[in-house]
Amino acid sequence: MKTEITRQQALNLLIKYNQEPFHLLHALTVEGVMRWYARELGYGAEEDFWGLAGLLHDVDFEQFPEEHCTKAPELLKEIDAEEELIHAVCSHGYGICSEVKPEHEMEKVLFASDELTGLIGAAARMRPSKSVMDMEVSSLKKKYKDKKFAAGCSRDIIDTGAGYLGWTLEELLEKTILAMRSCEESVNQEVEALKGK
């Protein structure tokens, strides 16, 4: 899966339709997480493609929440996104707002980690450090079990995603914490830079 789209094209499209700092933070975080997973799972040659899927997965969410995952193909066509990328973006909403099923391992990772990055991010903001750098799986599991905490992050989706990958929940939590550690600093810097524009 080689991609012809540059990251700058993808970022420009994201910013065109998303201005909320929280949405930009989420998009950049999922991009970084997807890049880490590509390297970790032996898809290093496809790292850029995995990253772009993460960066653009919610491209339509801010302006078209009622059409999430159905508006995305039209927006992605603006940068001539290939069908594989469109499929990946739409598949992360499978069973929620899309009928496109995650098939490739990358799509399953995107499905599993999308909601989870939100939960981990919320847990990090509660910590004195405001960071994932010192977060342990055990403390995250406590937050995960507390249904009132980050109630908008669906545990069912995260559990389903772990099942798609054939991983235990603990494996998914542990890997995604590591993935978020790998990009936390660069994501925060980029969000600050985008705010200044």
Side-chain angles (χ1 to χ4, degrees), residues 12-33:
N12 290 346
L13 185 71
L14 178 73
I15 294 166
K16 180 177 176 183
Y17 292 105
N18 294 269
Q19 277 80 47
E20 285 285 330
F22 181 80
H23 291 157
L24 296 174
L25 174 69
H26 177 64
L28 292 165
T29 299
V30 177
E31 175 193 24
V33 164

Side-chain angles (χ1 to χ4, degrees), residues 115 118-119 122 143-144 146-158:
E115 290 282 306
L119 185 85
K143 294 273 194 268
Y144 188 88
D146 176 3
K147 298 287 191 272
K148 292 193 190 80
F149 178 78
C153 297
S154 168
R155 275 57 166 182
D156 289 346
I157 292 172
I158 296 167

Side-chain angles (χ1 to χ4, degrees), residues 12-189:
N12 290 346
L13 185 71
L14 178 73
I15 294 166
K16 180 177 176 183
Y17 292 105
N18 294 269
Q19 277 80 47
E20 285 285 330
F22 181 80
H23 291 157
L24 296 174
L25 174 69
H26 177 64
L28 292 165
T29 299
V30 177
E31 175 193 24
V33 164
M34 292 297 291
R35 284 181 164 277
W36 182 89
Y37 269 116
R39 297 189 299 271
E40 180 73 8
L41 298 175
Y43 296 92
E46 296 176 19
E47 184 183 331
D48 289 342
F49 184 80
W50 284 50
L52 289 180
L55 186 65
L56 292 170
H57 77 284
D58 276 347
V59 68
D60 60 0
F61 184 70
E62 187 176 309
Q63 290 195 19
F64 310 98
E66 301 302 315
E67 298 174 79
H68 185 35
C69 291
T70 55
K71 189 77 174 172
E74 181 188 324
L75 306 187
L76 292 166
K77 290 288 188 198
E78 291 182 29
I79 55 169
D80 295 323
E82 60 267 60
E83 287 305 317
E84 291 93 336
L85 185 59
I86 293 171
H87 190 281
V89 165
C90 294
S91 74
H92 90 275
Y94 179 64
I96 312 142
C97 56
S98 168
E99 292 175 11
V100 179
K101 191 170 185 182
E103 286 159 9
H104 186 279
E105 189 166 18
M106 178 269 278
E107 295 173 337
K108 294 173 185 176
V109 170
L110 180 60
F111 183 95
S113 59
D114 173 30
E115 290 282 306
L116 183 52
T117 59
L119 185 85
I120 294 172
R125 285 190 291 281
M126 301 288 288
R127 300 176 72 76
S129 65
K130 304 273 190 268
S131 169
V132 292
M133 291 303 179
D134 57 355
M135 184 182 288
E136 298 298 330
V137 174
S138 55
S139 69
L140 181 62
K141 276 179 87 172
K142 284 194 193 107
K143 294 273 194 268
Y144 188 88
K145 286 176 182 163
D146 176 3
K147 298 287 191 272
K148 292 193 190 80
F149 178 78
C153 297
S154 168
R155 275 57 166 182
D156 289 346
I157 292 172
I158 296 167
D159 288 340
T160 300
Y164 284 161
L165 289 160
W167 298 350
T168 63
L169 176 64
E170 190 143 332
E171 276 180 286
L172 179 62
L173 298 181
E174 185 175 7
K175 287 179 194 295
T176 307
I177 288 173
L178 292 174
M180 286 179 69
R181 281 183 189 167
S182 77
C183 62
E184 182 179 81
E185 188 179 349
S186 60
V187 165
N188 288 338
Q189 287 172 351

